[in-house]
Amino acid sequence: DFLKYEGENKIARVRKNVVLIDKETRLTTDYIDHNFGEDFSYYLGGGKIINGDNELESQIGYYYTKEKLLFFKDSVKVTNPQYTMYSDTLKYNTQTEISYFLGPTDIISDENYIYCENGWYDTKKEVSQFSKNAVLYTENKMLKADSLFYDRKNNIGKAFNNIELYDSIQKIKLYGNYGITNGKTKKTFVTQNPYALMIMDQNDSLFLYADSIFLLQADKKLKQKEAIKAYHKVKIFMSDIQGVCDSLIYKKSDSTLSMFSSPIIWNGVNQITADTIHFYINNNKLDSFDLRSNSFLISNEKGPHYNQVKGKN
């Protein structure tokens, strides 16, 4: 509705019902100053930009036409058919369609919720990386890490350093320094000094250490039941039981915890060994165990005296 052009400094000041169109990008606002010398525009007091499937809103915005780069500040909102993003500060390249967030950012979709304070999102490839207090929430999981990578198309997430994953259904917490979660196969893998905390009841938990820990989610289509698998140099700790083995699997469907390859269990003054040990859990407590092949139990009495029991099973 109003235009003022200052020829000496090459600045156009445009006011009220402003529309700026640059090929595939359309900006609407009530306030724009365009610097023809340095080839950039900026607005104050709110503006909306439409680029492809993305709609971007903010109170303050800069558009560098040569670089095709948008810089947004204050109450930034990005609306896409698959997600909505809220941020404090955002850069957006209209050619590559990559967003860079430089402050507290929330990304909300039907599948998950993501928070971070630094990162980028490629809207074409639907891949993103988040850092600085990065956290990912799904329906029943929470994933934290120093850095998160997420592939929305393939539903794959990767986590790096200081990982903390909580599964509210299985009541388990996973920790480590490298992890992958696959939404299609419903499997999560954590390694590099991983350990797990299985909440048994209000008074006790089971700590699990291993080289690698897998978390399997129940899925009827995949014919998969909830389970936890641990491989190599496995150690378990509870208030009254400690043990080691090479591999372990916990099946929630029948509440069994199985230890394979030279398992050893210590319970007070008792040491228990066998080729395979099965624990049966009842009401979130270890109820009984079954020793399979080469079963041996030794119990310290007093001084140098021991009770010993040996059998096949």
Side-chain angles (χ1 to χ4, degrees):
D1 290 347
F2 174 78
L3 164 65
K4 179 183 178 182
Y5 179 65
E6 300 171 0
E8 187 175 350
N9 51 25
K10 298 182 178 179
I11 292 178
R13 306 191 187 277
V14 195
R15 303 291 183 266
K16 292 187 179 181
N17 299 315
V18 182
V19 179
L20 185 150
I21 299 171
D22 183 10
K23 294 183 180 178
E24 69 280 0
T25 304
R26 180 185 178 94
L27 164 64
T28 56
T29 182
D30 275 337
Y31 179 115
I32 274 189
D33 282 358
H34 183 79
N35 189 316
F36 284 92
E38 299 182 21
D39 209 8
F40 76 92
S41 303
Y42 69 90
Y43 63 82
L44 305 171
K48 179 186 290 186
I49 290 176
I50 297 175
N51 176 252
D53 291 333
N54 300 303
E55 184 178 290
L56 302 95
E57 299 175 63
S58 69
Q59 289 300 306
I60 301 170
Y62 289 81
Y63 182 38
Y64 299 89
T65 50
K66 286 183 179 179
E67 296 87 351
K68 305 297 181 184
L69 187 66
L70 291 156
F71 182 83
F72 302 96
K73 182 72 178 173
D74 192 5
S75 305
V76 183
K77 180 182 178 181
V78 181
T79 305
N80 182 280
Q82 295 182 325
Y83 66 88
T84 303
M85 181 190 301
Y86 300 90
S87 184
D88 174 70
T89 305
L90 180 76
K91 286 199 302 183
Y92 179 73
N93 190 304
T94 60
Q95 287 185 319
T96 62
E97 295 185 26
I98 297 176
S99 299
Y100 303 87
F101 12 94
L102 310 171
T105 302
D106 302 273
I107 303 172
I108 303 167
S109 70
D110 293 336
E111 297 86 19
N112 52 50
Y113 162 69
I114 299 167
Y115 173 83
C116 73
E117 294 172 14
N118 201 316
W120 54 266
Y121 188 92
D122 188 328
T123 57
K124 283 184 178 179
K125 297 179 180 178
E126 294 187 42
V127 295
S128 50
Q129 184 159 343
F130 314 99
S131 59
K132 198 173 181 182
N133 298 318
V135 58
L136 167 66
Y137 294 93
T138 59
E139 186 177 358
N140 50 52
K141 285 190 179 70
M142 183 277 293
L143 175 62
K144 277 184 180 181
D146 287 354
S147 180
L148 294 175
F149 175 85
Y150 183 58
D151 182 339
R152 187 179 293 275
K153 279 185 179 178
N154 297 304
N155 202 0
I156 293 175
K158 295 182 181 180
F160 306 89
N161 297 324
N162 297 312
I163 298 168
E164 179 184 345
L165 184 145
Y166 175 63
D167 188 315
S168 59
I169 292 179
Q170 299 200 51
K171 292 184 178 180
I172 182 171
K173 292 182 179 180
L174 270 178
Y175 301 87
N177 287 306
Y178 177 71
I180 299 175
T181 181
N182 190 317
K184 292 182 179 179
T185 63
K186 307 293 184 181
K187 292 180 181 178
T188 299
F189 163 72
V190 178
T191 188
Q192 293 184 14
N193 301 316
Y195 68 96
L197 171 63
M198 297 168 57
I199 302 168
M200 308 299 287
D201 59 29
Q202 290 182 348
N203 300 316
D204 207 358
S205 297
L206 186 146
F207 288 85
L208 170 65
Y209 296 82
D211 286 346
S212 302
I213 300 175
F214 291 81
L215 188 64
L216 280 64
Q217 196 174 337
D219 191 282
K220 290 183 179 179
K221 291 182 180 179
L222 298 171
K223 296 180 180 179
Q224 182 171 281
K225 296 181 179 180
E226 288 181 26
I228 299 165
K229 296 181 178 180
Y231 294 97
H232 309 309
K233 300 177 183 178
V234 179
K235 298 177 183 178
I236 62 170
F237 300 91
M238 286 189 69
S239 59
D240 56 351
I241 286 179
Q242 301 82 43
V244 296
C245 63
D246 185 67
S247 57
L248 174 149
I249 182 170
Y250 170 65
K251 297 179 181 177
K252 193 172 183 181
S253 57
D254 55 5
S255 296
T256 60
L257 190 152
S258 302
M259 302 172 69
F260 305 96
S261 299
S262 304
I264 306 173
I265 291 293
W266 294 277
N267 169 234
V269 296
N270 304 306
Q271 178 175 293
I272 305 159
T273 59
D275 288 351
T276 303
I277 298 177
H278 300 287
F279 278 99
Y280 298 96
I281 298 171
N282 187 21
N283 294 324
N284 289 325
K285 291 184 178 181
L286 294 177
D287 179 73
S288 58
F289 57 82
D290 185 11
L291 311 178
R292 290 291 169 179
S293 300
N294 297 314
S295 304
F296 183 66
L297 187 150
I298 183 168
S299 178
N300 182 232
E301 277 295 301
K302 292 181 180 179
H305 302 291
Y306 293 85
N307 291 325
Q308 299 180 58
V309 183
K310 187 176 182 180
K312 184 178 181 182
N313 298 312

